[in-house]
Amino acid sequence: MTSRFTRASALAACALLFAAHPALAAGESDAAPKGAAVTVLKASKFCFDNIAEVTGFVLPRDEQQVRPDRFGLKVAEVMVDAGDTVSAGQALARLTDGANSVNVTAPVAGTVSASTAVVGAPASGKGEALFSIIAKSEYDLVGMVPTRDIAKLKADQTARIKISGAGELDGKVRRIAPTIEPNSQLGQVFVAIGASRKLLVNSSGRAQIKTGQSCGVAVPLTAILYSTAGTVVQVVRGGRVETRRVETGLMSAGQVEIRDGVQEGDIVVARAGALLREGDPVRPVGDSAAK
């Protein structure tokens, strides 16, 4: 009788224990990791473009001045206006000296950038030109860059140019001035604009010139935390948070170069936040959680 009572009491006690701790009933360990669930990822290799920026203005690469080759002429007819596209040899205006007339023609193909020709006005071989033509309709973005970037630049480097009112265009470095402006310590750079269309002279623009490439360990910008201790990244090791002070470098496409503090393959908290502290237990979630 006593034996049956003892066994029944033991079974009842076990039932109460499993009801209170279902994880034990399912065979799970009481030592399973606890803490907040955090999304993690692996620090991985990423290649960053080294970029030098040029800010400047759109200017004609070559501008030809058109005047008559003799004196004593008057403008009888104007055949083109500023903004027109002309071909080499095309008649721009008809001039007369009384009984005779002569045509003034375009020395090169391009875009007429300015015209002072007015019917009845005198036309001279000296002084103000009748027409100005942007040869081949070619333009440069002429701008200034800091001395530290001059050494990185060389001819034919590719550039991405953004012109006010014209959008983004391709280009390449055409020429680098051999001197530095002494007061500002800036150097002049000529970036050829690849667009075969009219641009507004003196429009402001900015060029990003690719001067090289740097490949190294990177993490998303969201993984970077700026604190009183400096720039840090939160890493998960053994189910707990480690705060690593890092040295950052280049940024591109939402990725940040980590020059020191994190190694390739480290499991990093994808969205660093002030709620996580050094040593906090966490449950990693994501493709890299198995690490």
Side-chain angles (χ1 to χ4, degrees), residues 239-255:
R240 293 188 180 274
V241 173
E242 285 186 5
T243 301
R244 304 265 188 90
R245 188 167 180 172
V246 296
E247 180 186 345
T248 59
L250 301 171
M251 285 193 288
S252 176
Q255 296 288 313

Side-chain angles (χ1 to χ4, degrees), residues 94-107:
R94 183 170 60 85
L95 309 179
T96 63
D97 61 358
N100 301 315
S101 66
V102 60
N103 286 339
V104 174
T105 59

Side-chain angles (χ1 to χ4, degrees), residues 50-73:
N50 293 317
I51 299 294
E53 287 199 355
V54 177
T55 301
F57 299 93
V58 175
L59 296 176
R61 188 175 308 170
D62 178 23
E63 196 167 23
Q64 300 282 324
Q65 308 296 314
V66 182
R67 299 178 178 87
D69 56 4
R70 58 192 177 92
F71 298 96
L73 298 172

Side-chain angles (χ1 to χ4, degrees), residues 108-131:
V108 292
T111 301
V112 179
S113 58
S115 171
T116 64
V118 177
V119 173
S124 172
K126 291 186 177 181
E128 194 171 24
L130 288 177
F131 300 94

Side-chain angles (χ1 to χ4, degrees), residues 2 17 38 63 79 81 88 102 160 166 178 184 204 212 249 267 275 289:
T2 303
L17 180 62
V38 294
E63 196 167 23
M79 302 173 183
D81 293 320
V102 60
R160 191 64 181 161
S184 66
S204 62
I267 303 303
L275 296 179

